[in-house]
Amino acid sequence: MTPDGRRVLIILPAWNEADGLSAVLGEIKQQLPYVETLVVDDGSADRTAEVAAAAGSAVARLPFNLGVGGAMRLGYRYAREHGYDVAVQVDADGQHDPAYVPALLAHLGEADLVIGARFDGEGEYRARGPRRWAMALLSVILSRLTHTRLTDTTSGFRACNRPLIEFFARWYPVEYLGDTVESLVGAARCGFAVRQVPVAMRARTTGRPSASTVKAMIYLVRAGLVLLLAVIRRMPGELKELAPGSPSYAAYLEEQLARRQLATEG
Amino acid sequence: MQLSTLTSITGIVVLAYILELLRRQQLREKYAAIWLCIGVVVAPLGFFPSLLDSTARSVGVASGVSLVLFAGFVLVLLVSLHLSWEASRLEAKTRTLAEDVALIRSRLAELPDGAEGGEAR
Ligand SMILES: Nc1nc2c(ncn2[C@@H]2O[C@H](COP(=O)(O)OP(=O)(O)O)[C@@H](O)[C@H]2O)c(=O)[nH]1
Ligand SMILES: [Mg+2]
């Protein structure tokens, strides 16, 4: 539990990450003793699940590979069933520095979804070529949709509050770029507030990244298609019952207010 | 009624139906891409069936209409092949799921009585 009384779950989607996982989990435990972790082992062929369990993390093993989106949907359902107040998505490959998690949590007061974003002052990394154009296109369009400046829309480093956990547990796109772009568009279109926090990301500690520069051109085309679909798709009506402005969201706000008062008194 | 009226109406209806299914999130991206391409090709052909006449003659087919019939047949064949492939993959996954459920049940049965918590079978 955080000092102000919130229960936080870090969800790590992992696919064949046995090599670096124990270091990543160790770092989380050391820097953030108040959080709990869930590793979603997505049909790994290596010892990912064993390594995670040995490091003291909860583990959910999928029988076959569902992709990051499928794994995250399971993560959000787990967070809902276990009553967590905050869910944070962190890569299992060590690219995301847990030292930034408190900054993400701090901004959850003013937004429902907080993204740890590169290209915003912190860190050195710059993309090149078609991949960079795709990222720029996504940033411009998504910034307009969410009414806030977004510089790294494909970042998998994000935190969300309880209403959004409920939302993602019911609706989470599992297709290509669904876990990043489409989930963001869906949440924004239903009225959830999005913010970003500048972070630096590290190079992968082990293995190699799934995206190569050769695939960057295809990436550009597919990103465009995903964006088009995300914008024209109709959001299921019953999801609006969870969004800001609904009675259930108002009840959530009241509860948060009471919790904060309790935390300052105690 | 003219042939072009019939084909153009069909083209429009098919394209509209594809778009509506997409909007309702009932078509996944991988199918959406195929069907959008097909719709975009079919709709204009509906308006101008004679567009293909010259192409047809150059590949040795008497008229554009028979070329469309032939191409349509090949397309339907490919699509159904693709669906068979997908169905096979789904069947393999269902099998894995069923095995997993069986393993979990045997694990539950191994637990000492009372530790199960839920309904016993
Ligand atoms: N559950 C799941 N996780 C995956 C899959 N592919 C990659 N990941 C995880 O997603 C995170 C980011 O993957 P990575 O390949 O580094 O993507 P990048 O950081 O965008 O280049 C890592 O924690 C991976 O283990 C997958 O198919 N399923
Ligand atoms: Mg990575």
Side-chain angles (χ1 to χ4, degrees), chain A residues 91 93 95 204:
Chain A
D91 276 5
D93 59 2
Q95 280 190 291
R204 248 174 175 275

Side-chain angles (χ1 to χ4, degrees), chain A residues 61-66 171 174-176 182 222 225-226 228-229 232-236, chain B residues 19-30 32-33 36 92-94 96-97 100:
Chain A
R61 266 177 65 197
L62 287 165
F64 35 74
N65 187 272
L66 291 185
W171 178 89
V174 297
E175 291 170 76
Y176 185 70
E182 196 179 346
R222 293 190 74 180
L225 180 65
V226 168
L228 182 75
L229 286 180
I232 66 170
R233 274 182 175 170
R234 201 157 51 188
M235 296 301 293
Chain B
L19 285 176
E20 190 52 28
L21 278 182
L22 278 178
R23 257 167 51 74
R24 292 180 186 209
Q25 315 203 9
Q26 300 197 340
L27 268 190
R28 296 196 42 176
E29 189 218 40
K30 56 180 173 182
L36 269 184
K93 288 187 172 179
T94 325
T96 312
L97 277 181
D100 271 22

Side-chain angles (χ1 to χ4, degrees), chain A residues 24-264:
Chain A
V24 173
L25 288 171
E27 192 179 27
I28 291 175
K29 202 179 241 176
Q30 189 212 335
Q31 298 198 14
L32 310 162
Y34 50 82
V35 307
E36 283 150 72
T37 55
L38 172 73
V39 171
V40 182
D41 172 15
D42 196 8
S44 297
D46 65 3
R47 296 174 32 85
T48 297
E50 285 95 327
V51 169
S57 173
V59 184
R61 266 177 65 197
L62 287 165
F64 35 74
N65 187 272
L66 291 185
V68 180
M72 283 311 297
R73 180 150 103 180
L74 174 61
Y76 286 118
R77 290 185 62 178
Y78 178 96
R80 177 178 63 171
E81 276 195 10
H82 291 77
Y84 285 96
D85 298 303
V86 178
V88 187
Q89 177 185 350
V90 173
D91 276 5
D93 59 2
Q95 280 190 291
H96 299 157
D97 187 345
Y100 287 107
V101 169
L104 297 185
L105 296 183
H107 282 79
L108 271 182
E110 63 199 69
D112 304 292
L113 178 64
V114 180
I115 301 174
R118 296 167 292 179
F119 321 118
D120 192 13
E122 294 249 336
E124 306 280 281
Y125 176 78
R126 295 283 177 274
R128 261 178 273 117
R131 195 174 177 87
R132 182 183 179 146
W133 308 332
M135 288 175 142
L137 175 82
L138 288 173
S139 296
V140 170
I141 296 177
L142 292 185
S143 295
R144 302 201 102 199
L145 282 172
T146 55
H147 310 292
T148 183
R149 197 174 81 94
L150 298 179
T151 54
D152 190 9
T153 52
T154 55
S155 164
F157 194 18
R158 36 171 75 187
C160 68
N161 62 11
R162 187 131 50 80
L164 210 48
I165 290 176
E166 182 77 37
F167 180 87
F168 284 150
R170 292 207 214 161
W171 178 89
Y172 202 78
V174 297
E175 291 170 76
Y176 185 70
L177 287 181
D179 54 307
T180 50
V181 175
E182 196 179 346
S183 62
L184 191 62
V185 175
R189 282 182 59 198
C190 282
F192 288 100
V194 183
R195 288 285 171 282
Q196 79 172 26
V197 169
V199 302
M201 288 194 195
R202 302 182 287 208
R204 248 174 175 275
T205 47
T206 51
R208 58 194 164 80
S210 46
S212 80
T213 30
V214 189
K215 299 184 191 137
M217 210 57 216
I218 306 172
Y219 176 81
L220 180 60
V221 174
R222 293 190 74 180
L225 180 65
V226 168
L227 199 56
L228 182 75
L229 286 180
V231 174
I232 66 170
R233 274 182 175 170
R234 201 157 51 188
M235 296 301 293
E238 73 268 13
L239 289 176
K240 304 243 160 70
E241 287 164 23
L242 304 168
S246 67
S248 77
Y249 195 87
Y252 165 78
L253 284 183
E254 247 166 58
E255 205 180 294
Q256 292 306 299
L257 206 64
R259 176 184 56 73
R260 251 176 254 143
Q261 271 166 2
L262 209 71
T264 45

Side-chain angles (χ1 to χ4, degrees), chain B residues 57-106:
Chain B
R57 244 168 271 131
S58 67
V59 292
V61 180
S63 77
V65 178
S66 25
L67 183 63
V68 168
L69 278 179
F70 175 67
F73 176 73
V74 172
L75 189 82
V76 170
L77 204 70
L78 287 179
V79 169
S80 74
L81 191 63
H82 175 227
L83 288 178
S84 304
W85 176 73
E86 290 285 355
S88 311
R89 280 181 19 146
L90 286 178
E91 200 175 308
K93 288 187 172 179
T94 325
R95 209 172 278 280
T96 312
L97 277 181
E99 289 161 4
D100 271 22
V101 172
L103 286 174
I104 292 170
R105 279 201 183 146
S106 74

